[in-house]
Amino acid sequence: EAQVTQNPRYLITVTGKKLTVTCSQNMNHEYMSWYRQDPGLGLRQIYYSMNVEVTDKGDVPEGYKVSRKEKRNFPLILESPSPNQTSLYFCASSNAHYSSPADTQYFGPGTRLTVL
Amino acid sequence: DQQVKQNSPSLSVQEGRISILNCDYTNSMFDYFLWYKKYPAEGPTFLISISSIKDKNEDGRFTVFLNKSAKHLSLHIVPSQPGDSAVYFCAASNPGGTSYGKLTFGQGTILTVHP
Protein backbone atom coordinates (compact mmCIF):
# COMPACT_ATOMS: atom_id res chain seq x y z
CA GLU A 1 0.00 0.00 0.00
CA ALA A 2 1.33 3.43 -1.00
CA GLN A 3 1.73 5.52 2.10
CA VAL A 4 3.59 8.13 4.09
CA THR A 5 4.30 7.14 7.68
CA GLN A 6 5.30 9.34 10.60
CA ASN A 7 6.52 8.49 14.07
CA PRO A 8 5.66 9.18 16.76
CA ARG A 9 2.01 10.12 16.32
CA TYR A 10 1.89 11.89 19.66
CA LEU A 11 4.73 13.40 21.67
CA ILE A 12 4.86 15.47 24.84
CA THR A 13 8.25 16.87 25.70
CA VAL A 14 9.90 19.69 27.63
CA THR A 15 11.63 22.82 26.46
CA GLY A 16 15.14 22.25 25.19
CA LYS A 17 15.07 18.47 24.86
CA LYS A 18 16.11 17.52 21.33
CA LEU A 19 13.67 15.39 19.39
CA THR A 20 13.28 13.86 15.95
CA VAL A 21 10.08 13.09 14.08
CA THR A 22 10.60 10.48 11.41
CA CYS A 23 8.92 10.38 8.02
CA SER A 24 9.09 7.63 5.45
CA GLN A 25 7.40 7.10 2.09
CA ASN A 26 7.27 3.97 -0.08
CA MET A 27 6.29 5.59 -3.39
CA ASN A 28 9.80 6.43 -4.61
CA HIS A 29 8.88 10.10 -4.60
CA GLU A 30 11.62 12.66 -5.10
CA TYR A 31 9.84 15.55 -3.39
CA MET A 32 9.19 15.55 0.35
CA SER A 33 8.03 18.29 2.65
CA TRP A 34 7.15 19.12 6.24
CA TYR A 35 4.19 21.27 7.27
CA ARG A 36 2.80 22.46 10.55
CA GLN A 37 -0.90 23.07 11.10
CA ASP A 38 -2.03 25.72 13.56
CA PRO A 39 -5.56 27.03 14.24
CA GLY A 40 -6.52 29.85 11.91
CA LEU A 41 -3.32 29.51 9.89
CA GLY A 42 -3.85 26.37 7.85
CA LEU A 43 -0.79 24.36 6.89
CA ARG A 44 2.54 26.16 6.54
CA GLN A 45 5.59 24.65 4.94
CA ILE A 46 8.64 24.24 7.20
CA TYR A 47 11.23 22.60 4.93
CA TYR A 48 11.19 20.71 1.70
CA SER A 49 13.51 18.44 -0.25
CA MET A 50 13.62 18.01 -4.00
CA ASN A 51 15.84 14.93 -3.83
CA VAL A 52 18.51 13.20 -1.79
CA GLU A 53 20.88 15.73 -0.20
CA VAL A 54 18.82 18.64 -1.60
CA THR A 55 16.82 20.54 1.02
CA ASP A 56 15.59 24.10 1.37
CA LYS A 57 13.64 26.33 3.73
CA GLY A 58 9.92 26.77 3.49
CA ASP A 59 7.90 29.57 5.06
CA VAL A 60 8.53 28.83 8.76
CA PRO A 61 11.95 27.11 9.09
CA GLU A 62 13.16 28.74 12.33
CA GLY A 63 13.92 26.20 15.04
CA TYR A 64 13.85 23.18 12.72
CA LYS A 65 16.38 21.09 10.83
CA VAL A 66 15.95 18.36 8.25
CA SER A 67 18.11 15.88 6.42
CA ARG A 68 17.61 13.76 3.30
CA LYS A 69 20.21 11.01 3.23
CA GLU A 70 17.92 8.47 1.61
CA LYS A 71 15.12 8.97 -0.87
CA ARG A 72 12.45 7.41 1.33
CA ASN A 73 13.23 9.19 4.62
CA PHE A 74 12.94 12.84 5.61
CA PRO A 75 13.27 13.35 9.38
CA LEU A 76 12.36 16.62 11.10
CA ILE A 77 14.70 17.62 13.92
CA LEU A 78 13.98 20.07 16.71
CA GLU A 79 17.34 20.75 18.36
CA SER A 80 15.92 22.81 21.23
CA PRO A 81 12.12 22.72 21.19
CA SER A 82 10.17 25.64 22.59
CA PRO A 83 6.47 25.96 23.51
CA ASN A 84 5.71 27.90 20.30
CA GLN A 85 6.57 24.73 18.38
CA THR A 86 3.58 22.99 19.90
CA SER A 87 1.62 22.07 16.80
CA LEU A 88 0.35 19.35 14.50
CA TYR A 89 3.02 18.30 12.01
CA PHE A 90 2.53 16.64 8.64
CA CYS A 91 5.03 15.08 6.32
CA ALA A 92 4.15 14.89 2.64
CA SER A 93 5.64 13.50 -0.54
CA SER A 94 4.93 13.87 -4.22
CA ASN A 95 6.26 12.90 -7.60
CA ALA A 96 6.81 16.53 -8.54
CA HIS A 97 10.10 17.16 -10.33
CA TYR A 98 11.49 19.62 -12.87
CA SER A 99 9.86 18.00 -15.89
CA SER A 100 6.54 17.31 -14.18
CA PRO A 101 6.18 19.97 -11.53
CA ALA A 102 2.46 19.87 -10.87
CA ASP A 103 1.66 16.80 -8.86
CA THR A 104 -0.49 16.07 -5.84
CA GLN A 105 1.10 15.61 -2.46
CA TYR A 106 0.39 12.65 -0.24
CA PHE A 107 0.31 13.34 3.46
CA GLY A 108 1.22 11.29 6.48
CA PRO A 109 -1.21 10.90 9.40
CA GLY A 110 0.32 13.70 11.46
CA THR A 111 2.34 14.06 14.66
CA ARG A 112 0.84 16.04 17.49
CA LEU A 113 3.68 17.66 19.44
CA THR A 114 3.32 19.41 22.77
CA VAL A 115 6.30 21.28 24.20
CA LEU A 116 5.93 22.18 27.88
CA ASP B 1 0.74 37.70 4.60
CA GLN B 2 -1.89 35.10 3.85
CA GLN B 3 -1.65 34.49 0.11
CA VAL B 4 -4.48 31.96 0.09
CA LYS B 5 -7.56 32.76 2.12
CA GLN B 6 -10.63 30.82 3.08
CA ASN B 7 -12.80 33.42 4.76
CA SER B 8 -15.47 31.06 6.03
CA PRO B 9 -14.20 29.05 9.01
CA SER B 10 -17.25 26.81 8.90
CA LEU B 11 -20.20 25.81 6.75
CA SER B 12 -23.27 23.80 7.66
CA VAL B 13 -25.56 22.23 5.05
CA GLN B 14 -28.36 19.69 4.89
CA GLU B 15 -27.78 16.29 3.35
CA GLY B 16 -28.65 16.30 -0.35
CA ARG B 17 -28.12 20.03 -0.77
CA ILE B 18 -25.18 21.77 -2.41
CA SER B 19 -22.07 22.73 -0.43
CA ILE B 20 -20.04 25.64 -1.79
CA LEU B 21 -16.63 26.30 -0.32
CA ASN B 22 -14.77 29.42 -1.36
CA CYS B 23 -11.12 30.37 -1.64
CA ASP B 24 -9.36 33.59 -2.66
CA TYR B 25 -5.71 34.12 -3.53
CA THR B 26 -3.53 37.14 -3.98
CA ASN B 27 -0.44 35.84 -5.77
CA SER B 28 -0.98 36.08 -9.51
CA MET B 29 1.90 33.63 -10.07
CA PHE B 30 -0.20 30.75 -8.74
CA ASP B 31 -1.42 28.64 -11.63
CA TYR B 32 -2.31 25.29 -10.12
CA PHE B 33 -4.93 24.86 -7.43
CA LEU B 34 -5.96 21.92 -5.30
CA TRP B 35 -8.53 21.01 -2.70
CA TYR B 36 -7.71 18.68 0.15
CA LYS B 37 -10.06 17.08 2.65
CA LYS B 38 -9.03 16.29 6.19
CA TYR B 39 -10.74 14.08 8.74
CA PRO B 40 -9.79 14.26 12.44
CA ALA B 41 -6.64 12.32 13.36
CA GLU B 42 -5.74 11.82 9.69
CA GLY B 43 -3.57 13.64 7.19
CA PRO B 44 -5.10 15.71 4.38
CA THR B 45 -6.11 13.73 1.32
CA PHE B 46 -6.22 15.06 -2.21
CA LEU B 47 -9.69 15.74 -3.56
CA ILE B 48 -9.55 17.61 -6.86
CA SER B 49 -7.31 20.05 -8.70
CA ILE B 50 -7.49 22.58 -11.51
CA SER B 51 -4.92 24.18 -13.74
CA SER B 52 -5.15 27.85 -14.59
CA ILE B 53 -5.78 27.04 -18.25
CA LYS B 54 -9.20 25.71 -17.24
CA ASP B 55 -12.12 27.33 -15.49
CA LYS B 56 -13.85 24.16 -14.38
CA ASN B 57 -12.94 20.63 -13.41
CA GLU B 58 -15.41 17.97 -12.41
CA ASP B 59 -14.99 14.65 -10.64
CA GLY B 60 -18.19 12.92 -9.64
CA ARG B 61 -19.98 14.98 -7.01
CA PHE B 62 -17.10 17.45 -6.80
CA THR B 63 -16.58 20.42 -9.12
CA VAL B 64 -13.96 23.12 -8.81
CA PHE B 65 -14.45 26.47 -10.51
CA LEU B 66 -11.65 28.95 -11.14
CA ASN B 67 -12.12 32.65 -11.84
CA LYS B 68 -8.64 33.93 -12.62
CA SER B 69 -9.62 37.57 -13.05
CA ALA B 70 -11.17 37.58 -9.58
CA LYS B 71 -8.44 35.33 -8.14
CA HIS B 72 -11.18 33.15 -6.73
CA LEU B 73 -11.94 29.47 -6.75
CA SER B 74 -14.76 27.45 -5.31
CA LEU B 75 -15.52 23.81 -4.60
CA HIS B 76 -19.06 22.58 -5.17
CA ILE B 77 -20.25 19.32 -3.66
CA VAL B 78 -23.54 18.04 -5.03
CA PRO B 79 -25.32 16.30 -3.42
CA SER B 80 -23.71 16.69 -0.02
CA GLN B 81 -23.48 13.60 2.17
CA PRO B 82 -22.80 13.24 5.92
CA GLY B 83 -19.50 11.51 5.07
CA ASP B 84 -18.36 14.76 3.45
CA SER B 85 -18.16 16.38 6.90
CA ALA B 86 -14.49 17.32 7.25
CA VAL B 87 -12.08 20.24 7.06
CA TYR B 88 -11.47 21.38 3.49
CA PHE B 89 -8.24 23.12 2.57
CA CYS B 90 -7.65 25.10 -0.57
CA ALA B 91 -4.05 25.10 -1.81
CA ALA B 92 -2.16 26.83 -4.59
CA SER B 93 1.17 26.37 -6.30
CA ASN B 94 3.35 27.78 -9.03
CA PRO B 95 4.73 24.61 -10.64
CA GLY B 96 6.60 26.53 -13.31
CA GLY B 97 8.63 28.43 -10.77
CA THR B 98 11.77 27.38 -8.92
CA SER B 99 9.67 26.43 -5.91
CA TYR B 100 7.81 23.69 -7.75
CA GLY B 101 6.05 21.27 -5.46
CA LYS B 102 5.47 23.91 -2.78
CA LEU B 103 1.86 24.28 -1.75
CA THR B 104 0.46 27.38 -0.07
CA PHE B 105 -2.62 26.53 1.95
CA GLY B 106 -5.65 28.45 3.12
CA GLN B 107 -6.84 28.32 6.72
CA GLY B 108 -9.42 25.62 6.08
CA THR B 109 -13.23 25.46 6.24
CA ILE B 110 -15.04 23.01 8.49
CA LEU B 111 -17.94 21.49 6.56
CA THR B 112 -20.74 19.82 8.50
CA VAL B 113 -23.41 17.96 6.56
CA HIS B 114 -26.50 17.21 8.64
CA PRO B 115 -28.60 14.10 7.92
Side-chain angles (χ1 to χ4, degrees):
Chain A
E1 180 191 355
Q3 59 182 352
V4 178
T5 56
Q6 296 178 226
N7 282 292
R9 293 290 311 276
Y10 302 92
L11 179 60
I12 301 175
T13 189
V14 294
T15 298
K17 186 176 181 182
K18 181 180 179 179
L19 66 93
T20 299
V21 184
T22 64
C23 172
S24 183
Q25 50 95 4
N26 63 0
M27 295 169 278
N28 203 36
H29 285 164
E30 291 185 356
Y31 188 95
M32 297 186 74
S33 183
W34 276 101
Y35 294 86
R36 59 179 287 175
Q37 183 190 353
D38 300 290
L41 297 175
L43 286 87
R44 294 178 294 167
Q45 190 181 53
I46 303 170
Y47 267 95
Y48 64 97
S49 170
M50 296 185 183
N51 212 328
V52 175
E53 302 292 2
V54 181
T55 63
D56 207 348
K57 297 176 180 178
D59 296 319
V60 287
E62 294 77 22
Y64 304 95
K65 285 176 57 177
V66 293
S67 70
R68 187 91 181 273
K69 292 183 169 49
E70 306 166 278
K71 198 171 188 178
R72 62 182 292 129
N73 296 324
F74 189 44
L76 179 69
I77 303 156
L78 284 72
E79 294 268 2
S80 182
S82 62
N84 65 11
Q85 292 178 297
T86 293
S87 187
L88 181 57
Y89 292 87
F90 291 101
C91 179
S93 74
S94 83
N95 212 18
H97 51 85
Y98 286 111
S99 61
S100 179
D103 199 15
T104 59
Q105 291 193 16
Y106 297 87
F107 284 80
T111 295
R112 184 165 291 283
L113 172 65
T114 301
V115 183
L116 302 174
Chain B
D1 177 31
Q2 193 82 22
Q3 296 187 62
V4 177
K5 295 181 182 179
Q6 295 174 254
N7 292 317
S8 298
S10 62
L11 175 68
S12 181
V13 300
Q14 206 67 32
E15 181 178 7
R17 306 295 290 268
I18 184 172
S19 296
I20 300 176
L21 296 96
N22 293 303
C23 178
D24 297 294
Y25 62 96
T26 57
N27 189 340
S28 58
M29 298 300 290
F30 290 145
D31 58 4
Y32 188 66
F33 304 89
L34 309 91
W35 284 94
Y36 280 81
K37 179 169 72 173
K38 183 183 178 307
Y39 292 120
E42 295 183 11
T45 55
F46 170 74
L47 193 56
I48 193 169
S49 63
I50 187 167
S51 165
S52 60
I53 62 174
K54 294 185 174 182
D55 54 17
K56 176 183 175 181
N57 189 27
E58 197 169 351
D59 184 2
R61 296 186 297 113
F62 302 92
T63 303
V64 56
F65 295 92
L66 175 62
N67 183 333
K68 282 188 65 179
S69 61
K71 295 191 179 66
H72 176 82
L73 64 154
S74 60
L75 174 68
H76 292 211
I77 306 174
V78 185
S80 302
Q81 300 174 353
D84 296 329
S85 297
V87 180
Y88 288 78
F89 289 101
C90 168
S93 75
N94 174 21
T98 56
S99 58
Y100 73 86
K102 174 182 168 64
L103 294 179
T104 301
F105 283 86
Q107 306 97 311
T109 297
I110 302 170
L111 173 66
T112 303
V113 180
H114 298 284

